[in-house]
Amino acid sequence: MEKKEVKKWQDEEALKRYQMIAPLLEPDMDEGKRQQLREEAAEKNGISKRTLYRYEKSYREEGFDGLRPASRTKKRRQGLPENFGEIMEQAVQLRREVPKRSVRQIIKVLELEGWAHPGVLKQSTMQRHLYDAGLGKKQMKRYAEKREASSRRFCRPHRMELLQGDIKYGPELRTADGELIKTYLSSLIDDHSRYIVQSEFYDSQRQEIVEDTFHKAVLKAGKFDCAYLDNGVQYTAGHLGRACAKLGIRIIHAKPGACQSKGKIEKFHQKVDQFTAEIRVAHVHSVEELNRRWKIFLEQEYQKEAHAGIREYYECRGASVPGCGITPEQEWMRDARGLVFLDVSVVSEAFLHHESRRIDEAGCFSLGGVRYEASAALANLEAEIAYDPMDMETVRVCCRGTAPLLAHRVEIGASASKVPAVPMGMTGSIPETSRLLDALEKKYKEDHGQMARALSFGDYGKEAGNHV
């Protein structure tokens, strides 16, 4: 396995492990609840609780890097029987017939009935496939009766403990040239104060707009504990999960169809609808102008307006609320919990994308359909390209044994550029002497030294004969 494939595999495995333990990292969680979640995670992923303990410890001590597996060739899993599909159909039927049947009992029945040879079926494999079929042990266990009254509403006690994120369709803009632009609003709202930490319109709904929203939110307000998102492809992309894991931010995805759990940001979107209605008569022709108007509307109309949800939260706790209410901005500013800011370089590095490219003879390479010029000194070398997908004017090029450099888009000017540097593969510096001539001279001296010694020995023998 090549080095870049190993690194990619390590990152993917680390992200999988982080997703397993993410629900267990809640600092104020009751230990009984944590134990229950640990058992569910172990059953769902077909691993032991001991392994989960090890993942948690590694993450707390070393962060995301501690979850990377050792650099070694990935082992292949033992192949499943050819009739495994039929075996699972029988296993599902056996579990449905008697829900309390254990996985071990199901495997024993399948072996006795001749569906599989003894020892072929593993409990962890069977357990995982039953869970995927909705027939896991925890899934089969249900309360006999639901509570008479329950509330699904929640509110975190402090700011930056939980941010909710979502994407909403924005207004359509028509440029001065008549081009139609569709816009999309990506936002993050603080669960406690209802304060909008970051919100901006974009001209696409690619996954990069969500990464940009998270990036700007961390730079603006600091690190937050957790993000609550839906299951859209923009929020389930692997790069977002890796970036947040490196910064110590957990991601929780809402269950499909559980729209009521994201009521805070859905309520905020009603304000967005008011803005959209106003912008249609404002003759806005660019995304830049749209965001300028949105920033003003957000700060003056939403952040400074009393929020009914904040009043309800305090009244249900028996606290008095001023008659004028509490605005999201006021609730955000008066929270006793301090903001935790991270170094800008650390945040930027976490959100960078990385790809491998081979530098051609001219010192150039292509990325995203655009040609970049690095340096002719790196010709024919394998390089790692680090870039921000929202700013592709310059990208960072890293080759082994060289200092990182910035590559710019190739531009063809009116005159030729200066003579490029000599590639590293040819020479790294101007030589002080000819190593070939020096080596030949050394060999010459050695050969003639041996000849001189041979002649001296011959003269000695001649002299000895004359004396006889």
Side-chain angles (χ1 to χ4, degrees):
M1 187 181 295
E2 297 182 4
K3 183 177 180 180
K4 60 182 180 180
E5 294 179 351
V6 171
K7 186 176 184 300
K8 180 180 179 182
W9 168 69
Q10 288 176 322
D11 287 342
E12 291 175 351
E13 289 297 316
L15 181 58
K16 290 179 182 177
R17 294 176 179 181
Y18 178 79
Q19 291 171 343
M20 291 181 197
I21 65 172
L24 307 174
L25 301 177
E26 179 70 38
D28 300 327
M29 183 184 297
D30 177 74
E31 189 57 35
K33 178 65 175 178
R34 197 190 308 274
Q35 182 68 18
Q36 179 184 353
L37 291 177
R38 191 177 287 116
E39 292 177 358
E40 293 176 357
E43 180 180 0
K44 178 180 178 181
N45 295 282
I47 61 176
S48 65
K49 290 189 292 183
R50 184 182 183 86
T51 302
L52 283 178
Y53 276 119
R54 181 164 55 85
Y55 292 166
E56 292 178 58
K57 181 180 179 183
S58 298
Y59 181 80
R60 290 192 171 95
E61 292 178 352
E62 305 177 42
F64 186 76
D65 291 339
L67 296 177
R68 287 191 174 95
S71 179
R72 56 184 175 83
T73 304
K74 190 176 180 181
K75 295 182 178 180
R76 294 185 177 180
R77 294 181 178 180
Q78 185 178 4
L80 297 174
E82 294 182 359
N83 64 332
F84 189 74
E86 298 177 356
I87 291 175
M88 281 308 305
E89 290 179 1
Q90 296 299 319
V92 168
Q93 184 176 344
L94 288 169
R95 173 57 67 84
R96 285 175 175 169
E97 290 174 355
V98 183
K100 291 187 178 181
R101 274 185 182 139
S102 65
V103 174
R104 184 175 58 183
Q105 290 172 336
I106 291 175
I107 292 176
K108 184 175 182 179
V109 173
L110 293 172
E111 291 175 349
L112 292 174
E113 292 182 351
W115 289 99
H117 295 292
V120 172
L121 299 177
K122 305 299 181 184
Q123 289 192 40
S124 59
T125 303
M126 180 65 66
Q127 198 170 31
R128 185 171 65 253
H129 283 80
L130 284 174
Y131 187 93
D132 292 340
L135 298 172
K137 181 179 178 181
K138 296 295 182 182
Q139 293 167 310
M140 298 294 290
K141 186 178 181 179
R142 296 290 184 265
Y143 290 111
E145 296 180 357
K146 294 183 179 179
R147 290 179 295 175
E148 294 182 0
S150 64
S151 175
R152 298 178 64 84
R153 304 183 66 180
F154 62 91
C155 181
R156 293 302 176 103
H158 294 287
R159 64 181 178 181
M160 299 298 278
E161 287 189 358
L162 178 69
L163 299 189
Q164 292 190 18
D166 203 359
I167 297 176
K168 178 177 173 60
Y169 287 99
E172 293 184 350
L173 307 179
R174 191 168 294 277
T175 65
D177 299 331
E179 180 186 358
L180 187 65
I181 302 177
K182 293 185 177 180
T183 63
Y184 308 87
L185 181 69
S186 176
S187 307
L188 283 172
I189 185 174
D190 180 57
D191 185 84
H192 171 73
S193 65
R194 275 72 162 182
Y195 184 81
I196 303 302
V197 179
Q198 174 61 24
S199 183
E200 188 172 330
F201 285 96
Y202 298 87
D203 59 1
S204 75
Q205 53 179 336
R206 299 175 303 163
Q207 68 181 55
E208 287 82 6
I209 73 172
V210 174
E211 296 171 17
D212 189 58
T213 303
F214 274 65
H215 190 172
K216 290 178 178 177
V218 176
L219 291 177
K220 182 189 298 184
K223 173 183 172 295
F224 49 96
D225 296 343
C226 183
Y228 189 63
L229 312 169
D230 61 25
N231 291 276
V233 292
Q234 296 91 344
Y235 293 116
T236 55
H239 188 269
L240 177 65
R242 284 191 292 272
C244 289
K246 291 177 181 178
L247 298 176
I249 299 172
R250 295 179 292 114
I251 292 181
I252 300 176
H253 293 283
K255 294 181 179 180
C259 56
Q260 67 274 17
S261 62
K262 297 183 62 184
K264 296 180 182 67
I265 197 164
E266 294 296 340
K267 185 68 176 178
F268 162 69
H269 283 165
Q270 294 179 11
K271 275 292 181 183
V272 181
D273 292 335
Q274 294 178 19
F275 172 78
T276 301
E278 296 294 333
I279 212 67
R280 289 196 178 103
V281 297
H283 305 291
V284 174
H285 303 292
S286 67
V287 178
E288 292 76 12
E289 176 64 13
L290 179 66
N291 277 317
R292 189 186 72 82
R293 296 287 189 98
W294 171 240
K295 181 180 180 181
I296 296 173
F297 180 91
L298 189 62
E299 291 185 4
Q300 299 299 323
E301 181 66 16
Y302 176 80
Q303 309 280 42
K304 298 181 184 299
E305 185 179 81
H307 200 291
I310 302 176
R311 172 185 288 276
E312 185 179 2
Y313 170 73
Y314 282 109
E315 288 180 344
C316 76
R317 299 170 67 89
S320 60
V321 179
C324 59
I326 303 174
T327 69
E329 185 178 67
Q330 290 172 337
E331 186 64 16
W332 172 270
M333 297 299 293
R334 73 176 192 167
D335 198 308
R337 187 191 188 196
L339 300 177
V340 180
F341 289 96
L342 304 176
D343 188 88
V344 175
S345 61
V346 174
V347 178
S348 299
E349 184 65 32
F351 284 97
L352 286 179
H353 287 230
H354 297 266
E355 293 189 26
S356 297
R357 291 290 187 275
R358 179 169 289 278
I359 311 299
D360 62 19
E361 291 79 359
C364 301
F365 61 93
S366 294
L367 181 68
V370 178
R371 193 164 175 79
Y372 290 85
E373 183 176 7
S375 172
L378 304 180
N380 299 315
L381 294 181
E382 191 77 16
E384 183 181 83
I385 313 301
Y387 63 95
D388 180 355
M390 302 302 292
D391 182 11
M392 299 288 288
E393 287 300 320
T394 59
V395 298
R396 191 178 70 198
V397 181
C398 300
C399 289
R400 181 180 297 179
T402 65
L405 56 86
L406 295 179
H408 303 268
R409 290 172 180 258
V410 173
E411 295 183 0
I412 302 177
S415 59
S417 61
K418 62 181 181 179
V419 177
V422 179
M424 288 185 59
M426 294 174 60
T427 180
S429 60
I430 299 176
E432 297 180 355
T433 183
S434 170
R435 295 175 61 183
L436 174 61
L437 296 179
D438 290 347
L440 291 175
E441 183 177 352
K442 180 180 178 181
K443 179 64 175 173
Y444 175 83
K445 291 179 178 179
E446 290 177 355
D447 291 347
H448 281 263
Q450 292 177 359
M451 185 181 297
R453 287 194 297 272
L455 290 173
S456 299
F457 181 78
D459 293 340
Y460 174 78
K462 186 183 296 183
E463 293 177 0
N466 292 333
H467 286 290
V468 174

